[in-house]
Amino acid sequence: MKSIVIVGGGVAGLALATKLGRRYGRKGKADIILIDRSFAHVWKPMLHTFAAGTANAYQQRIPFIPHAARSGFRFLPGSLGAVDRAAQTITVEPIIASDGEILVSQRRIRFDCLILAAGSKANDFATPGVIDHCFFIDDLVQAENFNDRLYEGMLRTASEGHPLTIAIVGGGATGVELATEISQLLEIADSYGVEGLLPRLRLTLIESGPRILPSFPEDISQAATQQMRDLGIEVLTGTQVSGADADGFLLANGGRIDARLRVWAAGVKASDAIAGLAGFEQTRAGQLVVKPTLQTTVDDRVFAVGDCASFIPPGADRPLPPTAQVARQQAAHLSKHLPGWLEGGSLPPFEFRDLGSLVSLSNYNAYGTLGRYGLFKGRSIRGRFAQLSHAMLYRLHQAEIHGLGRAIAIWLSDFIATAVNYRIRVS
C-alpha cells in the first residue's frame, strides 16, 4: 500500500488529506498520514479575528484526531525535522513538555510520496528588535497571546484612563483586517457599557510601500485608507521601520512611533521547518521552488503546495501569491491526479484560475476584485455584497472539509451561537 505523507494541516494540507483519505484511505488503497505540530486546524484568514477577540477560536477549530478517524487518514503530531530523499523517509521531531520531559521520541516516517504544505509566516527581514518585542499573528497560539495582552491593555485603559497605543507593521490584508477588527472590538465593548475605550485608542498602521493593500487596485486601496482614517486609525505609507524596542518602533527617517502593543504583519517567508531543509531549490524567503506539476525541482516524489511553495506560471513574471485560494486549488489538483501518478500515470501541470481577492474591514466594509474568470470578471465589488462573498469563502472551506451536509449543520450551529452569545470575548 502506497504511503502518502502530508506535512502541514493548513488550508491545503487538511483539504488534501481529507479528500485522499475519503477516496483512498477508507478503501485501504493508500496510507494517508497528516503531520502537524498542533492538534487542531483553524482557517488562517480568520486569525486576525481571534487575535482581536471578535470571533470564538474554540468554536472554529477542527481537531485533527477525530477528523482523521472520520475521513480515512492518520494524524501524527510533531514538527518536520529533515527529509532523507535517498531513504524516502522524513524525521519528525520529538514532542517535549514544558518541563523538558520528552513525551514522544523522534520518529522516522517512510513515504512513497511526500507533500510539504507547512505554510508560511511573517517576514521580519532581520529587522533589529522585532523578534524580541513584537507580536506575530501566524498561528492560533500567537493570535491568542496577542488577544490576552490586548485585553490587559483594555483593562488598564478602562481603569487608569491611559491611551491604548497599538502599532501594526504591514499594510497588506492581515494588517488592515486586524486594525479594523480591533476598532470593532472597542466599539462593541463601548456598547456593553465599557465607555471611553474607543476614544482612547491610538492605533497606527505602518506600510513601507506607497499605499496599503498593494495587491488590490488603487481605488480600493484609497477607499480602504479613507475608511480606516474615518475610524480614527492613523495610516502611514512610505514609512520604513528600522527597528523595534520595548516602547515602539524606530523609523528609518530617524523618528519613532511609541506603542505599548506592537504587531509585525509584514512580508511572507516559509516556516522554519521548510526553510531549514537541505538539498532543495529554495527562494530567498525559504519557499521551495516547484515545477508546473507542483513537484520540487530536485525530487519528483516530493511536492510542495500552498504558502511554502514558489511557482511561477508559464508566461508570468512572478510567483503565485501565498493565498488560501492558491492553496485550495493546488490541493484539489493533487487530490485528483496524485493517485493515478502513483500507479504510473502522468501528472498534468497545475493551472491557476484567478477568481479574485477579498479583504474585509470588519463589519464596516469590504472590498474585492473578481479576477479573470466568471460572469463579472475584472470588476470590483464593495459593501455588503463583498462582505457576504468574504464570509462565503470560509463556508466553502468548511463544506470542502466536512462535506455539504455536515457543513450546513455547522452553519446553523454558528448562526444560533452568534444569536445567543456575546459578540466579543468577554472574559
Side-chain angles (χ1 to χ4, degrees):
M1 191 164 55
K2 300 290 186 180
S3 176
I4 302 175
V5 177
I6 303 166
V7 177
V11 172
L14 183 60
L16 189 53
T18 301
K19 291 179 179 180
L20 291 175
R22 289 171 180 165
R23 294 176 186 174
Y24 305 101
R26 284 175 175 173
K27 300 175 183 179
K29 295 181 178 180
D31 183 22
I32 316 298
I33 303 172
L34 176 67
I35 298 171
D36 196 279
R37 60 189 177 88
S38 65
F39 282 82
H41 163 89
V42 294
W43 198 48
K44 191 172 181 178
M46 284 191 72
L47 285 175
H48 66 280
T49 64
F50 305 144
T54 53
N56 187 335
Y58 182 80
Q59 185 175 333
Q60 305 302 330
R61 294 166 68 254
I62 301 176
F64 286 129
I65 293 175
H67 183 74
R70 179 185 295 149
S71 303
F73 65 90
R74 292 195 290 145
F75 168 69
L76 296 179
S79 299
L80 175 66
V83 176
D84 186 336
R85 296 190 289 112
Q88 291 183 235
T89 62
I90 66 168
T91 300
V92 180
E93 293 297 297
I95 299 176
I96 302 175
S98 57
D99 61 0
E101 179 184 358
I102 296 178
L103 301 177
V104 181
S105 300
Q106 187 182 77
R107 293 144 289 166
R108 292 177 68 86
I109 309 297
R110 183 192 169 277
F111 65 84
D112 292 294
C113 172
L114 173 63
I115 303 165
L116 300 173
S120 64
K121 63 179 186 177
N123 191 345
D124 67 334
F125 304 104
T127 306
V130 169
I131 295 294
D132 295 326
H133 299 292
C134 294
F135 289 93
F136 292 81
I137 314 294
D138 295 320
D139 57 38
L140 182 57
V141 172
Q142 293 179 346
E144 292 182 331
N145 286 341
F146 173 77
N147 185 250
D148 289 340
R149 290 293 302 277
L150 175 60
Y151 273 72
E152 290 173 3
M154 292 169 59
L155 180 60
R156 184 181 297 108
T157 296
S159 61
E160 300 177 4
H162 298 312
L164 177 57
T165 54
I166 304 172
I168 302 170
V169 176
T174 300
V176 168
E177 291 180 331
L178 177 61
T180 52
E181 286 293 337
I182 292 173
S183 177
Q184 181 77 68
L185 169 74
L186 268 64
E187 184 175 312
I188 295 173
D190 187 77
S191 71
Y192 286 169
V194 188
E195 299 178 357
L197 284 179
L198 191 57
R200 292 189 174 91
L201 175 64
R202 303 291 183 267
L203 202 163
T204 304
L205 181 70
I206 307 168
E207 166 60 35
S208 61
R211 61 186 180 93
I212 64 171
L213 301 176
S215 62
F216 287 80
E218 189 166 353
D219 63 323
I220 289 180
S221 174
Q222 292 176 349
T225 300
Q226 188 58 54
Q227 177 82 67
M228 296 178 73
R229 286 174 174 162
D230 290 344
L231 294 172
I233 300 170
E234 184 178 13
V235 179
L236 302 178
T237 56
T239 304
Q240 186 75 40
V241 172
S242 60
D245 57 30
D247 298 313
F249 289 109
L250 312 175
L251 305 181
N253 61 11
R256 66 174 291 119
I257 297 174
D258 291 327
R260 181 178 289 273
L261 295 179
R262 302 157 300 280
V263 180
W264 190 273
V268 174
K269 66 178 181 180
S271 66
D272 293 339
I274 297 299
L277 291 179
F280 290 90
E281 182 182 358
Q282 295 174 287
T283 67
R284 293 179 60 184
Q287 295 163 307
L288 300 177
V289 179
V290 297
K291 300 185 290 188
T293 54
L294 303 180
Q295 296 163 303
T296 57
T297 56
V298 298
D299 194 327
D300 284 348
R301 295 166 300 186
V302 181
F303 296 73
V305 296
D307 293 3
C308 73
S310 176
F311 170 54
I312 303 178
D317 58 357
R318 64 180 61 187
L320 293 176
T323 63
Q325 177 185 185
V326 173
R328 288 183 66 242
Q329 290 188 30
Q330 291 178 337
H333 176 82
L334 285 186
S335 68
K336 180 179 180 180
H337 299 291
L338 198 60
W341 174 79
L342 284 170
E343 296 299 325
S346 61
L347 193 63
F350 168 71
E351 295 183 8
F352 174 62
R353 293 175 60 86
D354 181 10
L355 302 178
S357 301
L358 292 161
V359 60
S360 173
L361 276 63
S362 191
N363 291 335
Y364 302 112
N365 213 331
Y367 305 92
T369 59
L370 297 181
R372 296 183 289 113
Y373 296 90
L375 183 62
F376 302 103
K377 58 184 179 181
R379 299 291 184 88
S380 295
I381 57 174
R382 61 187 65 198
R384 186 60 177 166
F385 180 62
Q387 288 177 321
L388 291 173
S389 300
H390 188 273
M392 186 56 64
L393 293 178
Y394 181 48
R395 297 309 182 187
L396 290 174
H397 173 65
Q398 290 178 311
E400 184 177 50
I401 298 301
H402 297 289
L404 183 59
R406 190 177 297 274
I408 291 175
I410 292 173
W411 301 343
L412 292 174
S413 174
D414 287 347
F415 176 79
I416 295 171
T418 300
V420 302
N421 289 334
Y422 300 110
R423 296 168 60 194
I424 60 173
R425 177 190 146 189
V426 294
S427 63

